[in-house]
Amino acid sequence: MIDRFGLGGVALHRMEQGDRVAELFGVKYPLVQAGMIWCSGWELASAVSNAGGLGIIGAGSMYPEILRAHIRKCKAATHRPFAVNVPMLYPNIEEHMAVIQEEGVPIVFTSAGNPAAWTGRLKAAGITVVHVVSSVKFARKAEDAGVDAVVAEGFEAGGHNGREETTTLVLIPMVRDAVRIPVIAAGGIADGRAMLAAMVLGADGVQIGSRFVCSVESSAHAAFKQRVAEAGEGETLLTLKELAPVRLLRNKFFTDVQQAYASGAKTDDLKALLGRARAKRGMFEGDLEEGELEIGQVSGRINDILPAATIVENILREYREALEQSRSRIWQGQ
Ligand code: NDP
Ligand code: NDP
């Protein structure tokens, strides 16, 4: 952390919220593009980093040598910092972490696992480490493990989700009050208004996923992007809690899961129904019926597919407008 004011720990409290995250990552805006399996390869990550945010390569869907290729392409496409997200459930995590260190990736976001497992080793290699959490308990655990920041991800988020179902509105102030490290809000944020709201709740920055699935540079299949852009209110639901809670768009696969529940399916039946590579089938291969379509609740507010740089610009413009409007529109408490 840069001590801009020469005041040690006090400086942290004087520094503006967004500055803590932007300075931690060496980027212009406190805006992070989420690492998402099948959707965020090098093209999206480099486009977001070039636009002033922090782009993330989602390693969960990549074999180690594919990850290496994406990191190399990302380095060639941007001179700005970028990160790699590694879900800790990943089967070849040792190989992923070796690739990340060999390729000199400056920042790693870990998720879906114990932060104590890798934080020390990554920090010793000079890597900035952020862990994704969905509760205060895990935020504290991540801070104790020595991470540089946490992403606090609420119930609205797509893909894997917390078992407690805590919404972003409830989670952010609770995590803010529980830890001293920077807090990056996620879940339900796709525009500048929501970004401002998250900052008012105490976040130091935001992580945005679904909005970037509907970007030109996302590696999601064109049919999945179009489906997300067309999705309306109430079209995603959290399911498969016995395996790993996941938020999905309604489709034939989702209906099959619901019917399995209705007929009293056990965990093993659900596992068999899920099978293997359903997420790839839906999000990467564009099978909108049989595939698993992971996306956030906020997909109901996303209606177009735009270049990543335009998405970043729009969010920043909306943020500034919302901030300005809040001075005249919002009740002043008198
Ligand atoms: P290519 O289109 O040549 O793809 C390079 C490799 O990356 C291909 O094997 C491609 O799979 C795979 N690939 C692309 N995007 C993803 C993704 N999001 N998740 C998993 N695999 C992905 O050029 P790229 O540089 O765009 O991609 C290089 C490789 O990276 C591709 O093989 C691609 O499949 C893979 N890739 C993997 C991503 C992932 O998240 N796992 C994301 C983006 C690319 P394929 O040959 O089937 O197209
Ligand atoms: P599945 O078991 O259904 O399928 C594995 C998929 O990952 C396949 O499509 C496979 O590609 C690809 N893959 C990439 N690397 C490997 C590897 N080393 N060994 C086996 N498969 C690999 O898993 P999911 O698709 O549900 O999840 C894949 C990963 O993504 C997991 O690590 C999971 O924890 C993570 N994940 C993270 C989410 C998040 O929100 N952070 C959400 C969902 C999953 P191929 O078919 O080409 O072999």
Side-chain angles (χ1 to χ4, degrees):
M1 180 64 66
I2 294 169
D3 185 355
R4 291 193 315 179
F5 304 97
L7 297 170
V10 179
L12 291 184
H13 301 291
R14 298 226 172 156
M15 194 179 280
E16 284 188 26
Q17 280 172 297
D19 288 352
R20 283 181 86 186
V21 162
E23 292 194 10
L24 177 64
F25 299 141
V27 299
K28 197 167 170 196
Y29 307 124
L31 192 165
V32 176
Q33 161 253 311
M36 301 169 285
I37 60 163
W38 299 116
C39 301
S40 55
W42 69 271
E43 242 184 306
L44 177 58
S46 59
V48 172
S49 287
N50 281 331
L54 181 72
I56 304 189
I57 296 173
S61 54
M62 298 182 180
Y63 287 92
E65 287 314 308
I66 288 184
L67 174 61
R68 191 190 299 279
H70 279 254
I71 292 170
R72 289 188 176 171
K73 286 183 180 180
C74 199
K75 285 194 286 195
T78 184
H79 296 300
R80 306 236 174 118
F82 67 92
V84 172
N85 168 232
V86 182
M88 308 197 63
L89 306 168
Y90 186 77
N92 302 85
I93 191 161
E94 299 274 347
E95 289 171 60
H96 264 180
M97 293 304 193
V99 167
I100 284 166
Q101 291 178 53
E102 285 158 18
E103 295 296 327
V105 173
I107 305 160
V108 169
F109 280 49
T110 52
S111 55
N114 185 351
W118 277 97
T119 302
R121 280 184 272 179
L122 294 171
K123 296 276 298 173
I127 296 173
T128 298
V129 182
V130 180
H131 191 66
V132 183
V133 301
S134 56
S135 68
V136 166
K137 182 177 155 194
F138 284 113
R140 286 208 178 102
K141 204 168 161 182
E143 185 172 53
D144 290 345
V147 303
D148 296 287
V150 285
V151 173
E153 186 182 83
F155 169 76
E156 298 92 323
H160 284 325
N161 211 301
R163 290 184 185 281
E164 295 86 354
E165 304 192 359
T166 309
T167 61
T168 303
L169 192 67
V170 173
L171 182 66
I172 301 310
M174 287 207 294
V175 172
R176 170 72 291 152
D177 292 346
V179 299
R180 287 176 57 83
I181 52 177
V183 176
I184 300 165
I189 304 168
D191 66 6
R193 278 190 286 170
M195 178 174 172
L196 178 62
M199 304 291 266
V200 171
L201 290 173
D204 300 285
V206 293
Q207 178 177 282
I208 295 178
S210 301
R211 177 58 271 195
F212 286 110
V213 168
C214 280
S215 67
V216 172
E217 294 87 348
S218 150
S219 56
H221 193 279
F224 178 51
K225 293 184 195 180
Q226 193 56 34
R227 177 71 188 86
V228 172
E230 286 166 8
E233 181 186 2
E235 283 205 66
T236 70
L237 284 171
L238 197 67
T239 187
L240 293 170
K241 289 187 199 168
E242 296 80 356
L243 305 180
V246 61
R247 179 175 295 283
L248 302 177
L249 269 173
R250 293 172 194 265
N251 65 352
K252 178 178 178 298
F253 169 64
F254 181 86
T255 309
D256 290 348
V257 171
Q258 296 302 90
Q259 282 170 358
Y261 276 115
S263 56
K266 301 277 182 302
T267 304
D268 283 345
D269 304 325
L270 293 168
K271 239 183 226 169
L273 174 60
L274 179 61
R276 188 172 172 278
R278 280 271 192 176
K280 180 185 190 183
R281 197 163 164 185
M283 301 191 283
F284 200 61
E285 297 172 349
D287 184 341
L288 300 184
E289 291 307 314
E290 297 293 341
E292 185 182 343
L293 307 178
E294 300 180 8
I295 201 77
Q297 208 175 57
V298 78
S299 53
R301 299 191 56 227
I302 297 165
N303 306 311
D304 46 17
I305 298 158
L306 298 171
T310 306
I311 294 172
V312 172
E313 279 165 30
N314 287 350
I315 292 169
L316 269 292
R317 192 192 64 252
E318 292 156 0
Y319 179 90
R320 293 185 189 108
E321 285 170 4
L323 185 61
E324 186 56 35
Q325 284 171 8
S326 72
R327 299 207 170 90
S328 56
R329 266 190 61 229
I330 292 181
W331 183 53
Q332 302 296 309
Q334 289 148 356

